[in-house]
Amino acid sequence: MEIRGLHFDHLIMFRVRDQKENWLEGIKVMEDFPLNHEVYKNGPVLFSFEEEEDGEGLFTYFMPINTEIEFEEGITDFAYLNQYQLNQSLLLRHAQEEFDFRTAYEKVKAYAVAENLSVEDSYICVLLNVYGEYIIDLYVPLKEWSEVQ
């Protein structure tokens, strides 16, 4: 477990409501995006998931690209972000070793309690494509440093 920040410039954002186990579907949409819009992906795809009932929730996917982009009117699933930044987060490398993202998140929360750190109720998964396989890093934002630090 490490404390790390995360920063990207020029990102495409895509939101979709779906079942938790369908997290890979949004990745496929994001990876097809550059082919249709004359931009180049220049970083890993990342996503957050806000769980609701029955495993369904809102996925927000982000993909760094090489330049700014404007969307035509009527396109509501995609948006452009100039910058995405997490200042201080707990990082669990290779979170796919856990049963699911929720289990990995609970592991980070337990570590935070043991270290007297306060974490947010959210997480970001960063998907690193290494030789055709995904390595997943889980970032859990810190609320602020505890008084004990």
Side-chain angles (χ1 to χ4, degrees):
M1 205 80 59
E2 302 175 42
I3 295 178
R4 285 265 180 104
L6 188 63
H7 179 100
F8 291 101
D9 292 323
H10 307 299
L11 299 105
I12 298 301
M13 182 176 72
F14 170 66
R15 289 192 170 161
V16 64
R17 194 165 302 285
D18 205 342
Q19 294 291 318
K20 182 172 42 177
E21 61 270 8
N22 293 337
W23 64 272
L24 194 53
E25 297 305 312
I27 304 299
K28 293 174 186 174
V29 170
M30 294 303 281
E31 289 181 343
D32 285 344
F33 183 89
L35 299 173
N36 301 319
H37 292 86
E38 298 181 16
V39 296
Y40 301 97
K41 175 182 166 188
N42 66 355
V45 174
L46 44 148
F47 72 89
S48 65
F49 179 70
E50 297 172 32
E51 191 167 0
E52 294 168 354
E53 295 178 20
D54 301 327
E56 189 167 297
L58 180 65
F59 284 96
T60 305
Y61 295 90
F62 304 91
M63 183 179 66
I65 58 173
N66 62 317
T67 188
E68 293 181 25
I69 187 171
E70 289 187 27
F71 290 98
E72 299 171 12
E73 277 189 45
I75 295 181
T76 58
D77 292 342
F78 288 94
Y80 170 79
L81 285 177
N82 191 46
Q83 185 178 85
Y84 182 87
Q85 183 168 329
L86 292 175
N87 290 324
Q88 297 285 339
S89 300
L90 285 176
L91 166 63
L92 175 62
R93 297 234 105 173
H94 313 297
Q96 76 270 22
E97 294 173 6
E98 300 300 328
F99 176 70
D100 63 14
F101 300 120
R102 193 65 165 154
T103 305
Y105 173 66
E106 294 300 327
K107 183 176 182 178
V108 173
K109 280 180 36 176
Y111 174 85
V113 167
E115 296 296 318
N116 200 25
L117 298 169
S118 181
V119 294
E120 299 284 343
D121 292 329
S122 63
Y123 56 88
I124 302 295
C125 294
V126 178
L127 302 158
L128 307 166
N129 192 336
V130 180
Y131 301 114
E133 297 286 326
Y134 285 116
I135 293 176
I136 302 170
D137 287 347
L138 183 81
Y139 286 79
V140 179
L142 292 170
K143 286 184 180 176
E144 55 186 75
W145 293 101
S146 82
E147 299 85 31
V148 177
Q149 285 284 188

